[in-house]
Amino acid sequence: QVQLVESGGGLVQAGDSLRLSCAASGRYAMGWFRQTQGKEREFVASISWNGDNILYADSVKGRFTISRDSAKNTVYLQMNSLKPEDTAKYYCAAGRIPRPRSRAADFSSWGQGTQVTVSS
């Protein structure tokens, strides 16, 4: 397993932007998931270990961008045009999978999460 540390969450207004970061080293596919109280963890985006393949949930397509900087061992989630329904705790995940996936079960390591709150 790999240790993951997320940062960048906060309280913003609808329409604002935030960028989440996740520090992780190694050749892992990376993913972002989110969860609100009482609901299952929801897939947001994932990226292959080399950045060549990316997958997005329909709910964030066109607004969120996942990327990685291998030199900095960091994965980013740029979130634009935020909506109140994006409010959740966001988790970074890593998995030794060849292509990005949307299932939480495909990822073996998880961060502690960072809270994103979008007010209307």
Side-chain angles (χ1 to χ4, degrees):
Q1 291 192 344
V2 61
Q3 187 173 9
L4 305 175
V5 180
E6 304 102 332
S7 61
L11 172 62
V12 297
Q13 293 187 332
D16 285 351
S17 298
L18 272 178
R19 189 177 78 163
L20 305 183
S21 300
C22 175
S25 60
R27 294 174 62 165
Y28 293 91
M30 301 295 295
W32 287 98
F33 290 76
R34 64 189 182 186
Q35 189 171 24
T36 54
Q37 200 165 8
K39 293 188 177 181
E40 291 189 359
R41 198 162 290 190
E42 175 191 18
F43 169 72
V44 176
S46 60
I47 187 168
S48 59
W49 69 271
N50 60 2
D52 285 353
N53 293 287
I54 289 174
L55 194 63
Y56 291 105
D58 288 343
S59 59
V60 306
K61 207 172 288 184
R63 299 188 299 122
F64 291 10
T65 302
I66 188 172
S67 62
R68 66 191 305 160
D69 185 334
S70 298
K72 296 182 179 180
N73 291 325
T74 302
V75 175
Y76 303 99
L77 184 68
Q78 177 67 43
M79 305 185 294
N80 298 330
S81 302
L82 282 162
K83 305 175 182 180
E85 50 263 44
D86 294 318
T87 295
K89 195 166 189 178
Y90 283 70
Y91 295 88
C92 176
R96 289 199 178 275
I97 48 180
R99 298 182 67 84
R101 302 281 175 85
S102 61
R103 291 193 321 158
D106 288 321
F107 295 86
S108 55
S109 298
W110 293 83
Q112 294 300 306
T114 184
Q115 180 67 36
V116 172
T117 303
V118 184
S119 63
S120 57

